[in-house]
């Protein structure tokens, strides 16, 4: 982990206290310092950017190069709220900013944008160096506990530190505390009751970009846990009757399903489970075959060959795909050519629940946009701004998460800078 300054027992009195040193908070600190504010970053962990570094482990996907309308559409119901922030600091601005840190980027075949070395650590190191040079102070192992009642609320901030509790007074505050996944990296969602007590409206934090539990038989999960299913498509009707259909690949896990295709559809699957108690998705095991082609091949006379050899030779159904058929269809259904053909294109799979929030990539829910003005200042707590994953938006993987964290960090900082001139 990149080193940061050692904890200070007597924190300075900054103009702005940025609480949370993930991408959103660090961007807020940078923008505020550039505006001439005295900025201090407080983080509960011994070093900043731990989730950012974790995101770099599998290849740091910074943003996406797709055209703007499609890009904005990834934020679903929150596109309207995020569009102005992304217009100010979107995918290209983010890439230019990364280049300014001395890190090159490239666009992968899927349109995803990565640093050339795929890593987060060199970028974070260069960024922290630049932040310190611009005068930003870092106070690690400072866990924000809420506000000191009756003393300059909301700007008297209580922290637990290794040297005991302390109170920091600031003229404005940016909260960038993250969501509620991977608590061991710092973002544990403990801020929810602290803000709720102050009258801030918060949508419940929920798993996003997540896998799901399926009640596999012992035999199936023993044989196929870890097996990739590809190519495959998943179809799911959401409650409004809208058909989500997407092709890609996913992985069988011991308890269910995970992987990119499942993450991409995780929001509608999760919403369906929340509404109905469970969801049935349909697997298209032969996405490049038409229903007619599948039917013709299934019904082709198989002579003395077993059904599995028939499916293998005529349609290439083998391994985990054959296992899924046996797992999800009754013996009678398998032996009925009509039902089998339909099932190869739409195999029903009952999905029970999302994986626990702590192990998923991101969380949905958070501070409602209605609780903030356009500069991300809390209506209930003037002078307190929020940014990053703790806001009530969600997006699929593909760099959209980091892009919105950076963009909202910048918006909150510009709001806080303007507030300082008014206060
Ligand atoms: C495995 C994994 C891979 C990912 N890969 C990608 C990817 O490739 N592309 C992408 O776009 N996104 C990716 N993400 C998501 C992305 O990392 C997050 O959306 C992003 O880090 C959120 O930024 P943030 O600044 O809002 O919050 P965080 O990065 O979570 O930072 C919040 C900070 O607040 C601090 N904090 C929390 N509570 C307190 C408190 N009470 N007091 C003081 N400090 C506190 C935490 O210690 C932490 O440092 C990935 C996530 C994971 C888990």
């Amino acid at each position: 982990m990149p080193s940061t300054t050692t904890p200070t027992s007597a924190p300075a009195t900054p103009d702005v206290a940025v609480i949370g040193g993930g991408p959103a908070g660090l961007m807020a600190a940078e923008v505020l310092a550039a505006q001439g504010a005295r900025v201090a970053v407080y983080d509960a962990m011994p070093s900043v950017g731990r989730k950012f570094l974790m995101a770099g482990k599998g290849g740091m996907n910074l943003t996406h190069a797709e055209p703007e309308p499609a890009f904005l559409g990834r934020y679903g119901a929150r596109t309207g709220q995020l569009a102005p922030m992304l217009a100010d600091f979107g995918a290209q601005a983010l890439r230019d900013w990364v280049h300014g840190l001395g890190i090159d980027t490239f666009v992968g075949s899927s349109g995803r944008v990565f640093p050339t070395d795929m890593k987060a650590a060199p970028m974070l190191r260069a960024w922290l160096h630049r932040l310190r040079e611009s005068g930003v102070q870092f106070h690690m192992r400072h866990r924000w506990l809420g506000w000191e009642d009756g003393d300059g609320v909301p700007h008297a901030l209580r922290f637990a530190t290794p040297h005991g509790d302390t109170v920091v007074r600031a003229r404005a505050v940016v909260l960038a505390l993250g969501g509620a996944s991977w608590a061991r990296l710092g973002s544990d969602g403990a801020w929810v009751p602290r803000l709720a007590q102050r009258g801030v409206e918060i949508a419940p934090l929920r798993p996003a970009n997540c896998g799901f539990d399926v009640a596999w038989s012992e035999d199936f999960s023993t044989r196929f846990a870890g097996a990739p299913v590809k190519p495959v498509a998943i179809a799911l009707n959401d409650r409004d009757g809208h058909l989500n259909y997407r092709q890609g690949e996913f992985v069988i896990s011991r308890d269910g399903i995970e992987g990119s295709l499942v993450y991409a559809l995780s929001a509608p699957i999760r919403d369906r489970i929340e509404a109905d108690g469970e969801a049935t998705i349909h697997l298209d095991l032969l996405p490049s075959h038409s229903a007619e082609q599948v039917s013709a091949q299934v019904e082709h006379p198989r002579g003395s060959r077993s059904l599995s050899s028939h499916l293998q030779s005529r349609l290439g159904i083998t391994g985990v795909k054959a296992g899924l058929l046996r797992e999800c269809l009754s013996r009678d259904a398998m032996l009925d050519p009509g039902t089998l053909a339909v099932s190869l294109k739409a195999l029903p799979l009952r999905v029970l629940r999302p994986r626990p929030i702590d192990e998923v990539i991101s969380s949905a829910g958070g501070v409602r946009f209605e609780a903030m003005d356009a500069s991300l200042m809390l209506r209930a707590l003037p002078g307190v701004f929020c940014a990053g994953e703790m806001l009530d938006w969600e997006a699929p993987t593909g760099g959209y998460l980091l892009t919105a964290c950076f963009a909202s960090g910048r918006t909150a900082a510009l709001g806080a800078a303007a507030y300082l001139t008014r206060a």
Side-chain angles (χ1 to χ4, degrees), residues 19-26 42-45 47-52 54-56 59-63 112 142-145 159 176-179 181-182 185-191 194 360-362 387-390 393 396-403 405:
I19 312 180
L26 294 179
Y42 299 85
D43 200 292
M45 302 301 282
S47 60
V48 293
R50 290 186 170 214
K51 191 177 273 186
F52 185 68
M54 175 56 75
M60 161 106 298
N61 180 193
L62 284 168
T63 188
R112 292 174 181 226
H142 276 58
R143 178 172 298 283
W144 177 62
L145 300 175
F159 290 93
L177 300 163
S181 76
W182 291 65
L185 302 177
S187 48
D188 56 9
W191 53 266
R194 286 170 204 149
V360 306
I361 290 180
S362 60
E389 201 180 308
M390 69 181 291
W393 57 275
T397 55
Y400 308 103
L401 297 166
L402 282 174
T403 310
C405 288

Side-chain angles (χ1 to χ4, degrees), residues 53 65 72 144 146 157 159 218 265 270 278 289 321 418:
L53 290 173
L72 290 176
W144 177 62
L157 305 155
F159 290 93
E218 188 57 35
L265 287 170
R270 177 202 62 210
E278 62 177 49
H289 290 62
K321 286 189 178 178

Side-chain angles (χ1 to χ4, degrees), residues 312-355:
Q312 178 167 357
S313 65
R314 308 265 1 145
L315 289 162
I317 292 290
T318 173
V320 65
K321 286 189 178 178
L324 277 165
L325 276 179
R326 284 192 302 275
E327 180 75 358
C328 301
L329 290 185
S330 67
R331 194 175 153 69
D332 286 351
M334 285 288 282
L335 291 173
D336 176 60
T339 309
L340 180 57
V342 168
S343 305
L344 280 160
K345 291 294 287 173
L347 183 69
L349 180 65
R350 209 155 67 92
V351 176
L352 302 178
R353 67 192 81 82
R355 293 298 299 159

Side-chain angles (χ1 to χ4, degrees), residues 61-306:
N61 180 193
L62 284 168
T63 188
H64 204 287
E66 70 187 347
E68 194 178 279
F71 188 102
L72 290 176
R74 304 293 175 183
Y75 298 96
R78 292 312 194 178
T79 297
Q81 285 89 352
L82 286 165
M85 301 179 220
L86 293 164
D88 179 41
F89 196 80
Q92 189 54 50
L94 174 53
R95 286 185 76 184
D96 294 342
W97 175 84
V98 172
H99 299 161
L101 287 170
I103 307 283
D104 274 341
T105 58
F106 73 96
V107 182
S109 54
S110 60
R112 292 174 181 226
V113 178
F114 302 92
T116 312
D117 64 1
M118 305 290 279
K119 293 185 182 142
M123 203 176 129
L124 184 59
R125 250 194 319 270
W127 192 12
L128 291 178
H129 178 72
R130 194 164 81 183
L131 286 168
R132 285 195 206 97
E133 293 282 295
S134 68
V136 173
Q137 292 186 5
F138 289 90
H139 302 282
M140 297 300 99
R141 295 189 169 93
H142 276 58
R143 178 172 298 283
W144 177 62
L145 300 175
W147 284 277
E148 185 81 340
D149 266 324
D151 183 13
V153 170
H155 302 150
L157 305 155
R158 280 200 306 121
F159 290 93
T161 82
H163 310 285
D165 287 4
T166 187
V167 174
V168 172
R169 291 185 176 76
R171 294 171 59 211
V173 182
V174 175
L175 298 177
L177 300 163
S181 76
W182 291 65
R184 66 184 179 279
L185 302 177
S187 48
D188 56 9
W191 53 266
V192 171
R194 286 170 204 149
L195 289 187
Q197 275 159 16
R198 300 278 167 181
V200 177
E201 275 180 88
I202 298 163
L205 300 182
R206 301 179 295 157
N209 291 301
C210 54
F212 292 87
D213 287 347
V214 173
W216 298 132
S217 66
E218 188 57 35
D219 181 49
F220 180 84
S221 67
T222 306
R223 278 189 69 191
F224 295 112
V229 185
K230 62 179 178 178
V232 67
I234 295 180
L236 169 82
N237 276 308
D238 62 27
R239 296 205 94 210
D240 306 331
H242 168 73
L243 174 68
N244 299 276
Y245 177 91
R246 207 176 166 115
Q247 189 175 329
E249 62 182 83
F250 68 86
V251 178
I252 304 294
S253 65
R254 170 110 214 124
D255 301 307
I257 50 174
E258 60 188 25
S260 55
L261 179 60
V262 172
Y263 300 159
L265 287 170
S266 60
I269 299 175
R270 177 202 62 210
D271 291 350
R272 201 69 219 244
I273 293 173
E274 278 178 9
D276 301 339
E278 62 177 49
T280 298
I281 60 174
H282 287 89
L283 306 180
D284 182 348
L285 298 178
L286 293 163
S288 47
H289 290 62
S290 69
E292 293 72 28
Q293 286 168 330
V294 172
S295 204
Q297 295 304 326
V298 169
E299 280 166 23
H300 194 274
R302 69 177 158 106
S304 59
R305 274 188 311 185
S306 69

